[in-house]
């Protein structure tokens, strides 16, 4: 052993205090290696930034008799073919007999009529008291006058309903058409989102299939209410942010230096200083979030939650790329563009949704700024239409926060996940020989906004699983799902005294399905598990999925208003609170 000199001592000391090279393992890992613990394999940072999609196998198509070339093509197309088939299945379910019941059910007394009024005047007019019966009469009558009426939701969702009415007329099929179309497209979106999120076409299609057979989503897809429209835009925004995440992380990965072994290493200058450039998918997300808020105000909670989530994703990406100060770098280079792409774009979209009200003169509060009350104050220098619109928004806010009128079907959000109090949209009890009733005891026809019970109860466990994955495994995918559920669910706990309903939960149902698909994937087992482990897991997961499908079929008559014997209806009322 060589003699220790002052020079070697100085060299060792300098080495101890020298800055660690980017990507070097932490000190505690290097110390563990002295005791025989193996070092982690050096992985390419590019794979950590943007994990590759697993190469699908063509064995499935070979089982169905496809030749090698055909199997290869079908395998390449499976990323779109599978989701499209699931969406087709969902669409057939939702459009089948869409005009039944041929009634104005539940809150269809508001939004389809407002939508037709927007087509005629650009603002919401006034309908006669007997307008509902006249709409479905023989012949139908439109008892609408141009006198403005007070409405408490923004116009975007009603404009979309109006598209179906313009195409097919002012009838149940016409006013439900666009909602059914968006419900079908949301299933396609969830399939593709699940595929990108979990890097598995099978799990993505499973998440979409679960959404297709959820009773609440199904009923809301066949009823002209606004909440499913909010859900569609929220899911669209989530998908856009996922694409933006992959693309921006891909830019970071492409800028990293590559060593002689072909492996990319973290680099401080890239992680801290690289500008991520033009991000059209984030702008598309801001547009979608603006359309959600322009349909109902609960879309604003998703705007806040998703904007924060997107910035945190940028922080994590820069840290992985080698940034020494990822929070500071993200705040300096990403936060302001993110604010503009999401919040500013969303607010501009919200304002644009009021174009019909702004361009006309007959809307409620349209001329408030020119009234004696509106001529006073500190903001009289603003345009009259803007001050009138702002006054309208404050009045609507006061209405929503003060809405405490009791309702038979109102429910506390604590009971939503277990389906404590579903909402009956329509109920009739025809006698034998009436409306297709063939039972001597008489029949019941109901449209009940009830989630598929087994799916929702299983999703409660799935939420616990994704919380575990997020908190203890630092799984960003689980965190994204938790964010999607929390933004649509937790805000309602702030309004315990307000009159609220279970069907508001439809906005986060897609995230429940994604959580359940993730849990089912874990039940099947991770890649590399033994064949026995994966077989047992696949059987268990398959049984649960089949039970959920059976549960949807069992409650299908209550989702569509089909006449069933009174005794069969009673058998489906599993709890007293469902009646």
């Amino acid at each position: 052993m060589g003699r220790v000199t002052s020079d070697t001592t100085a060299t060792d000391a300098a080495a101890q205090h020298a800055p660690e090279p980017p990507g070097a393992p932490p000190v505690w890992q290097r110390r563990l290696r002295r005791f025989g613990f193996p070092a982690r394999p050096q992985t390419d940072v590019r794979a950590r930034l943007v994990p590759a999609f697993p190469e699908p196998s063509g064995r499935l198509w070979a089982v169905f008799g496809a030749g090698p070339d055909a199997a290869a093509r079908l395998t390449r197309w499976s990323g779109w073919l599978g989701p499209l088939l699931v969406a087709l299945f969902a669409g057939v379910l939702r459009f089948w007999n869409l005009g039944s019941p041929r009634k104005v059910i539940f809150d269809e007394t508001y939004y389809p009529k407002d939508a037709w009024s927007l087509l005629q005047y650009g603002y919401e007019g006034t309908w006669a008291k007997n307008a509902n019966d006249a709409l479905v009469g023989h012949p139908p009558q439109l008892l609408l006058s141009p006198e403005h009426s007070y409405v408490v939701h923004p116009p975007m969702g009603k404009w979309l309903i109006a598209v179906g009415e313009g195409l097919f007329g002012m009838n149940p099929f016409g006013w439900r058409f666009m909602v059914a179309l968006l419900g079908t497209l949301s299933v396609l979106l969830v399939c593709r989102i699940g595929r990108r999120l979990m890097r598995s076409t099978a799990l993505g299609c499973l998440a979409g299939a679960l959404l297709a057979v959820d009773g609440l989503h199904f009923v809301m897809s066949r009823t002209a209410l606004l909440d499913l429209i909010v859900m569609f835009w929220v899911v669209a925004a989530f998908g856009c942010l996922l694409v933006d995440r992959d693309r921006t992380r891909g830019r970071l990965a492409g800028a990293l230096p590559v060593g002689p072994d072909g492996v990319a290493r973290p680099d401080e200058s890239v992680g801290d200083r690289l500008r991520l450039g033009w991000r059209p998918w984030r702008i598309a997300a801001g547009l979608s979030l603006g359309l959600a808020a322009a349909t109902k105000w609960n879309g604003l909670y998703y705007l806040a939650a998703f904007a924060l989530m997107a910035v945190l994703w940028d922080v994590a990406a820069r840290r992985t790329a080698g940034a020494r100060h990822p929070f500071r770098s993200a705040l300096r280079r990403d936060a302001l563009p993110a604010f503009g792409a999401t919040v500013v774009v969303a607010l501009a979209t919200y304002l644009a949704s009021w174009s019909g009200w702004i361009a006309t003169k007959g809307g409620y509060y349209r001329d408030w700024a020119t009234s004696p009350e509106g001529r006073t104050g500190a903001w009289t220098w603003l345009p009259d239409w803007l001050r009138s619109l702002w006054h309208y928004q404050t009045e609507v806010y006061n209405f929503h926060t003060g809405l405490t009128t009791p309702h038979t079907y109102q429910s506390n959000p604590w009971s939503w996940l277990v389906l404590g109090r579903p909402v009956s949209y329509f109920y009739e009890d025809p006698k034998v020989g009436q409306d297709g009733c063939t039972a001597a005891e008489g029949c019941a026809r109901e449209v009940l906004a009830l989630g598929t019970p087994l799916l929702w109860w299983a999703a409660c466990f799935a939420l616990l699983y994704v919380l575990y994955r997020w908190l203890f495994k630092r799984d960003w995918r689980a965190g994204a799902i938790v964010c999607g559920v929390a933004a649509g669910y937790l805000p309602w706990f702030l309004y315990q005294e307000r009159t609220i309903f279970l069907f508001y939960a439809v906005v986060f149902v897609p995230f429940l399905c994604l959580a359940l698909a993730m849990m089912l994937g874990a039940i099947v087992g991770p890649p590399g598990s033994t064949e026995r482990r994966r077989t047992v897991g696949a059987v268990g997961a398959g049984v649960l999925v089949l039970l959920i499908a059976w549960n949807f079929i069992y409650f299908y008559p209550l989702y569509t208003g089909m006449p069933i014997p009174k005794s069969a209806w009673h058998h489906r009322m599993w709890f007293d609170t469902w009646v």
Side-chain angles (χ1 to χ4, degrees), residues 344-396:
V344 174
V345 169
L347 292 179
T349 303
Y350 180 86
L351 187 62
S353 72
W354 287 89
S355 297
W357 183 89
I358 294 169
T360 58
K361 291 294 184 181
Y364 205 86
Y365 281 132
R366 178 62 182 84
D367 296 323
W368 174 86
T370 58
S371 68
E373 181 186 359
R375 291 196 188 100
T376 61
W379 302 95
T380 53
W381 55 273
L382 290 173
D384 289 345
W385 66 266
L386 184 57
R387 292 191 295 121
S388 295
L389 181 60
W390 178 256
H391 178 73
Y392 196 173
Q393 306 306 296
T394 58
E395 291 298 311
V396 169

Side-chain angles (χ1 to χ4, degrees), residues 492-515:
W492 293 110
F493 288 92
L494 302 174
Y495 305 100
Q496 294 282 328
E497 303 301 322
R498 190 185 183 278
T499 307
I500 54 180
F501 303 92
L502 169 65
F503 66 81
Y504 294 172
V506 73
V507 71
F508 61 81
V509 168
F511 300 97
L512 293 182
C513 294
L514 287 168

